[in-house]
Amino acid sequence: MKTVALASIGLGGLAIIACLFLEDIDPKKTPKIEIFLEYDVHADKNEFHE
């Protein structure tokens, strides 16, 4: 059980360090909705999903 706890701490620390190297995605975000949910009231607006 101690080995599992130490491994999870190590992998968690590695994940936090990896997050520091991610690029900023703000320029790629837009308010436009490309795909609506299948049972949404706007589902008829989908171009590619029938």
Side-chain angles (χ1 to χ4, degrees):
M1 200 65 168
K2 182 179 178 182
T3 306
V4 175
L6 292 176
S8 65
I9 290 172
L11 290 173
L14 184 64
I16 291 172
I17 291 171
C19 287
L20 297 175
F21 293 100
L22 293 175
E23 65 181 59
D24 186 26
I25 62 167
D26 280 338
K28 297 179 181 179
K29 293 193 295 186
T30 63
K32 183 178 178 185
I33 299 174
E34 298 286 342
I35 302 290
F36 293 93
L37 294 176
E38 186 174 353
Y39 298 109
D40 191 61
V41 293
H42 301 291
D44 56 332
K45 295 181 181 179
N46 286 332
E47 296 178 20
F48 306 109
H49 182 65
E50 297 288 330

